[in-house]
Amino acid sequence: MPGTPPTRFVFLGPEGTFAEQALRSVPAAERGTRTPARSVGEALDSVRAGDADAALVPLENSIGGAVGVTLDEMAEGEPLVITREVILSVEFVLAARPGTSLTSIRTVAAHPQASTQCRGWLRDHLPDAVVVDVLSNGAAAAGAGAGEYDAAICAPIGAARHRLTTLADKIADHPDAVTRFALVSRPGPPPPPTGDDLTSLAVYIAHDRVGALLSVLMELAVRGVNLTRIESRPTGEALGRYVFFLDCTGHVADVRLGEALQGLRRVCADVRFLGSYPRHRWAEAGERPVPAPAGLSDVDYADAAAWLARLRTGELT
């Protein structure tokens, strides 16, 4: 981020949600101020207006897929860039006021996505309970804490905030589910390369050009740039007009990715740079970046560039 380190953070609220839990894993945010926003658009607009230094918003979920509203907001309006990704394990708990027993529960508050992800557990353990839809995991915990509902499906941080007792943890049907969040700021120099980075782009292709999307993919493939995600979203202009969101390995400072970006600029109707940032790594997983194919590493590109420079000055070795 440009200038001084960020101190004012905003996140998709309300308080007590996975978004707040993810933001608190960022050291600077733990030391700074954290303000909930009512929507993704409100969070990002507060950064654009200078009311916050950075916003944490959801990008995708391993069960539900991409968060379309975030992609749309990033593709439109004044440009913003991703400076960090945070991947959080989605571990739902069933929480209630102290003294509540599992057998006494008749109503359970839950966000629709949460109840969907916990459908199997609810069927097996609370088959007669009525699930009441609420606007967020935080609202579910708040409602249970206020006595509006017997229990809530929520994030652990929500249970703790509203002083609820956890009756059951890890109740999701998919225990390995994760949500990927993006920390977004106003444009500025990207974080320095780490050797294990991602670059995100919004790419607009010429709709009347045969093989336009293939041309985009070839610009990456011929340089050994690994494409880790591609999503399409309608532009709203007309049927069949799409913007493609790409995540690829590498940093804008890398030679081969830089050349790929130049190629995309030439063949695409428009390209919006959404940031280069360190890839989230699970310490226990021992993950390693995917190496470039032989002849396509940054060292190979630097060697080839030096060889060409020698040829241009008359050296033939």
Side-chain angles (χ1 to χ4, degrees), residues 136-148:
S136 69
N137 299 312
E148 298 173 22

Side-chain angles (χ1 to χ4, degrees), residues 107-175:
T107 57
V108 179
H111 185 276
Q113 289 185 355
S115 58
T116 297
Q117 293 188 43
C118 301
R119 184 185 295 118
W121 190 94
L122 288 169
R123 182 187 62 240
D124 295 339
H125 296 86
L126 293 174
D128 298 324
V130 176
V131 177
V132 182
D133 290 346
V134 294
L135 293 176
S136 69
N137 299 312
E148 298 173 22
Y149 314 102
D150 296 330
I153 295 176
C154 59
I157 190 175
R161 182 178 297 278
H162 295 281
R163 300 180 180 179
L164 301 176
T165 297
T166 298
L167 300 181
D169 61 2
K170 298 181 180 179
I171 65 173
D173 299 335
H174 298 275

Side-chain angles (χ1 to χ4, degrees), residues 188-215:
T194 66
D196 189 11
D197 303 289
L198 290 175
T199 292
S200 294
L201 308 166
V203 172
Y204 298 81
I205 65 173
H207 69 278
D208 56 352
R209 176 180 171 185
V210 176
L213 181 57
L214 178 60
S215 298

Side-chain angles (χ1 to χ4, degrees), residues 298-313 315 317:
D298 287 329
V299 173
D300 295 323
Y301 269 83
D303 178 72
W307 173 75
L308 179 59
R310 292 195 299 273
L311 294 184
R312 288 171 171 171
T313 58
E315 299 178 42
T317 58

Side-chain angles (χ1 to χ4, degrees), residues 45-289:
D45 283 343
S46 67
V47 176
R48 291 185 173 109
D51 297 327
D53 300 319
L56 189 94
V57 292
L59 272 182
E60 60 178 320
N61 178 269
S62 59
I63 304 299
V67 180
V69 64
T70 300
L71 298 182
D72 293 342
E73 289 284 347
M74 291 291 290
E76 301 170 0
E78 293 181 29
L80 295 170
V81 292
I82 301 170
T83 59
R84 181 178 182 142
E85 70 168 357
V86 178
I87 298 180
L88 183 73
S89 295
V90 179
E91 297 182 357
F92 289 108
V93 302
L94 182 78
R97 293 182 305 284
T100 303
S101 65
L102 197 61
T103 56
S104 68
I105 294 174
R106 296 293 178 266
T107 57
V108 179
H111 185 276
Q113 289 185 355
S115 58
T116 297
Q117 293 188 43
C118 301
R119 184 185 295 118
W121 190 94
L122 288 169
R123 182 187 62 240
D124 295 339
H125 296 86
L126 293 174
D128 298 324
V130 176
V131 177
V132 182
D133 290 346
V134 294
L135 293 176
S136 69
N137 299 312
E148 298 173 22
Y149 314 102
D150 296 330
I153 295 176
C154 59
I157 190 175
R161 182 178 297 278
H162 295 281
R163 300 180 180 179
L164 301 176
T165 297
T166 298
L167 300 181
D169 61 2
K170 298 181 180 179
I171 65 173
D173 299 335
H174 298 275
D176 297 326
V178 298
T179 295
R180 179 184 179 216
F181 296 87
L183 189 67
V184 178
S185 70
R186 292 180 293 280
T194 66
D196 189 11
D197 303 289
L198 290 175
T199 292
S200 294
L201 308 166
V203 172
Y204 298 81
I205 65 173
H207 69 278
D208 56 352
R209 176 180 171 185
V210 176
L213 181 57
L214 178 60
S215 298
V216 169
L217 301 179
M218 286 299 295
E219 292 293 339
L220 302 174
V222 298
R223 295 175 176 87
V225 176
N226 185 38
L227 184 66
T228 62
R229 184 178 69 95
I230 180 169
E231 299 276 351
S232 64
R233 296 285 298 169
T235 63
E237 298 172 354
L239 285 174
R241 305 287 180 89
Y242 292 91
V243 53
F244 292 86
F245 293 89
L246 312 180
D247 286 342
C248 49
T249 57
H251 192 281
V252 66
D254 298 340
V255 176
R256 60 192 174 106
L257 184 58
E259 286 197 5
L261 292 178
Q262 292 181 65
L264 293 177
R265 175 74 174 180
R266 292 193 302 268
V267 303
C268 295
D270 193 17
V271 178
R272 175 172 281 201
F273 176 72
L274 300 180
S276 288
Y277 47 91
R279 188 170 71 99
H280 181 98
R281 295 183 63 185
W282 300 98
E284 66 275 12
E287 294 180 352
R288 295 291 184 270

